[in-house]
């Protein structure tokens, strides 16, 4: 059989009044959701009926339901336990918590359990009562565990094997690669058990590797769009980045949870400290912090409302907090893959979220230098440079960011040219022809060299080009150069843009301790005027966009987009009060159950309650995210909180 790749275009048709036992019924009754998202419906159907599948979906796409719904359906049909392989321990705990809240019997086995708890879980497993068991890969391959699986299998109670984070099998140097590779032996041992591999890593190489290593040649492939329509991409030129960040936090994300990525540990600490001084609720996170402190900070980020985590990229793997409202980058990531993975942590709940980045000349210089001075082989460096170039092109782009991002991952955007939800679409930047300016800059550098054999940094170069007299211009006799003052009509910010672009494109290189600028072998083409350069006019801070006027286009499902748009309508004062009471109630309950608040109810669910203010249990049941178990457990209390 040939693997079949399905490309997502619209949500699958689902009957509106489903029988309680049907897959749609499980979605409604257990999870309280009205509709499958995108490919979920097809996947769930295929897997429930025993087919193998490879699922590629972006972060936040809704992978968990792809195995949870089949697990429940198959368990109800007497087929026993679904085993979920996952390397992420914190995640297991919260997933199991969420399932138990929804009335699904689930458990995990990992190194955090003591002997008694382990034996209790093993008993539940062997009895076949468990619907889902989450386990770390190294655990599964122990003789003891395999013995239990054998026993289940013999009794026809090993229902389904779900392999989450399946890219672990492919990535060289990945912590869990060895264990993941060994998972293929499970297939040899239990050939009749259907398998489902899931990942958010999109590239073709990884996909092919997963198929080969896990022997999924006959599995059906489900490839979802990697678009995240609810994330708004904004990239601004640095101009006092801290203040820009603070403005962004205060104007757009007051009281929201989010992540601020910085490149170095020191910058993480300094930025977090500074934000706290500015009255922002921020915590630092990087690999240099004590493990205990790190865990505490991560825990607080997951459990408390509205914390800002300032972090290196050491933070984020396995964070499935759904209500991260923004991801901000104060430094340039290494490549688009990194950028997309990091920004993908925003808005998993499908509500409006921001990916915001400030970048400048120094970022370009630093990233280039890190590659140049790295230990890697020349071939690898070339690849790293090409990847950095693609990211720089994204940053300098004056057209739709989303079209570029998706294009990078080999996906054509369904509505070409405009997504309507990135900075460039919302406020098309002006451009200017910088071809002549680029020639001026390079010839000025050439003149420096001729004049004294010395090279200089960007600041001095710009002073000379703009004809600004300083101690340095006088001291070096640069005021007599023919290029002194030739670019006086071009602003300093524009000049920085020109230099950044020239460095990004390799027409200029920055060298040494003082980042002095030198020509490269390709500079000549620019000097000749052969390289047309169209640049964005550096923009002033974008005026605060009105959230309510924000349209989210979603290629997956028009109704989902509509409901998200409705969800973006601001709440009136009464509804705000209700929301505050609901959140306080949720925080209390989450503390009691030792779970993150979003496991109890998502923000989106509470908001809908606050807006619609249901007065009866029936009305409450109609809210997305309220399943039967939660309705029974919390319904009356919620009505009381709403009415109070
Ligand atoms: P992934 O693992 O792909 O990153 P998750 O499985 O964590 O994504 O799902 C992301 C969020 O979307 C979760 O909070 C989940 O509850 C929600 N979600 C998933 N499917 C649906 C659906 N059909 N309707 C409403 N919400 C959904
Ligand atoms: Zn756009």
């Amino acid at each position: 059989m040939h693997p079949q790749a399905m490309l997502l275009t619209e949500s699958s048709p689902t009957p509106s009044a489903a029988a309680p036992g049907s897959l749609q019924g499980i979605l409604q009754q257990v999870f309280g959701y009205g509709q499958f998202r995108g490919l979920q419906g097809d996947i769930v159907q295929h897997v429930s009926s025993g087919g193998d599948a490879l699922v590629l979906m972006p972060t936040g796409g809704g992978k968990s339901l792809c195995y949870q719904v089949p697990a429940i359906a198959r368990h109800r049909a007497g087929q026993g336990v679904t085993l979920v392989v996952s390397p992420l321990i914190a995640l297991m705990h919260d997933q199991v918590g969420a399932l138990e809240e929804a009335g699904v019997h689930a458990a995990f086995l990992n190194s955090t359990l003591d002997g008694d708890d382990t034996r209790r879980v093993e008993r539940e497993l062997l009895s076949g009562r468990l619907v889902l068991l989450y386990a770390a890969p190294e655990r599964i391959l122990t003789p003891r565990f395999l013995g239990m699986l054998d026993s289940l299998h013999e009794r026809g109670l090993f229902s389904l094997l779900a392999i989450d984070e399946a890219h672990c099998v492919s990535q060289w140097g990945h912590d869990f690669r060895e264990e993941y590779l060994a998972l293929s032996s499970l297939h040899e041992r239990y050939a009749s058990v259907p398998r489902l591999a899931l990942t958010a890593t999109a590239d073709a190489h990884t996909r092919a590797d997963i198929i080969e290593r896990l022997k999924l040649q006959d599995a059906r492939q489900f490839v979802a769009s990697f678009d995240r329509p609810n994330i708004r991409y904004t990239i601004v030129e640095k101009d006092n980045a801290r203040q820009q960040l603070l403005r962004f936090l205060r104007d757009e994300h007051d009281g929201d949870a989010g992540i601020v990525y910085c490149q170095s540990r020191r910058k993480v600490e300094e930025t977090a400290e500074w934000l706290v001084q500015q009255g922002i609720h921020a915590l630092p996170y990087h690999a240099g912090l004590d493990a205990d402190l790190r865990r505490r900070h991560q825990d607080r980020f997951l459990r408390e409302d509205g914390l800002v985590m300032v972090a290196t990229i050491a933070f984020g793997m396995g964070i499935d907090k759904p209500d991260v409202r923004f991801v901000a980058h104060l430094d340039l990531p290494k490549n688009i893959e990194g950028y997309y993975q990091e920004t993908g942590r925003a808005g998993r709940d499908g509500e409006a979220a921001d990916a915001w980045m400030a970048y400048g000349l120094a970022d370009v210089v630093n990233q280039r230098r890190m590659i140049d001075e790295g230990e890697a082989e020349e071939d690898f460096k070339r690849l790293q440079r090409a990847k950095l170039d693609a990211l720089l092109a994204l940053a300098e782009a004056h057209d739709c960011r989303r079209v570029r991002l998706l294009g990078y991952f080999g996906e054509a955007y369904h509505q070409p040219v405009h997504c309507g939800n990135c900075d460039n679409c919302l406020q098309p930047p002006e451009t200017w022809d910088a071809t002549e300016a680029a020639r001026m800059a390079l010839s000025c550098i050439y003149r420096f060299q001729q004049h004294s054999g010395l090279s200089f940094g960007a600041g001095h170069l710009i002073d000379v080009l703009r004809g600004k007299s300083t101690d340095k211009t006088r001291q070096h006799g640069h005021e007599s150069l023919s290029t002194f003052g030739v670019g006086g009509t071009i602003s300093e910010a524009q000049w920085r843009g020109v230099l950044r672009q020239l460095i990004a494109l390799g027409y200029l290189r920055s060298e040494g301790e003082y980042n002095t600028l030198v020509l490269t072998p390709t500079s000549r083409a620019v000097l000749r005027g052969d390289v047309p350069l169209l640049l964005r006019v550096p923009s002033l801070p974008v005026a605060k966009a009105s959230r309510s006027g924000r349209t989210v286009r979603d290629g997956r499902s028009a109704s989902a987009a509509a409901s998200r748009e409705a969800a973006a309508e601001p709440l009136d004062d009464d509804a705000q009060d209700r929301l505050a009471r609901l959140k306080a109630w949720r925080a209390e309950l989450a503390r009691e159950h030792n779970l993150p608040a979003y496991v109890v109810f998502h923000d989106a669910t509470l908001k809908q309650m606050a807006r619609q203010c249901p007065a009866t249990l029936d009305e409450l049941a109609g809210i997305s995210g309220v399943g039967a178990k939660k309705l029974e457990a919390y319904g009356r209390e919620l009505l009381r909180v709403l009415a109070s």
Side-chain angles (χ1 to χ4, degrees), residues 27 33-37 40 57-65 95 164 200 320 322 348-350 602 624:
L27 182 72
Y33 296 142
Q35 266 188 314
F36 285 114
R37 256 194 212 160
Q40 276 177 341
M57 252 187 211
T59 309
K63 284 186 285 300
S64 321
L65 285 187
Q95 288 251 12
D164 207 1
D320 77 340
R348 294 173 84 123
D349 53 9
H602 283 181
S624 176

Side-chain angles (χ1 to χ4, degrees), residues 399-403 417-426:
D399 48 9
C400 177
R401 312 266 192 208
R402 192 178 312 273
V403 169
V417 194
H418 272 297
C419 76
N421 197 25
C422 74
D423 53 354
N424 288 350
C425 282
L426 289 165

Side-chain angles (χ1 to χ4, degrees), residues 387-403:
K387 290 192 166 199
L388 175 59
D389 288 346
L391 178 61
L392 293 173
L394 172 75
E396 300 283 358
H398 23 82
D399 48 9
C400 177
R401 312 266 192 208
R402 192 178 312 273
V403 169

Side-chain angles (χ1 to χ4, degrees), residues 54-58 197 199-203 207 221-226:
L54 172 62
V55 170
L56 289 95
M57 252 187 211
T199 179
T201 304
D203 65 274
R207 198 197 308 182
Q221 290 181 37
F222 295 88
V223 183
S225 165
F226 270 66

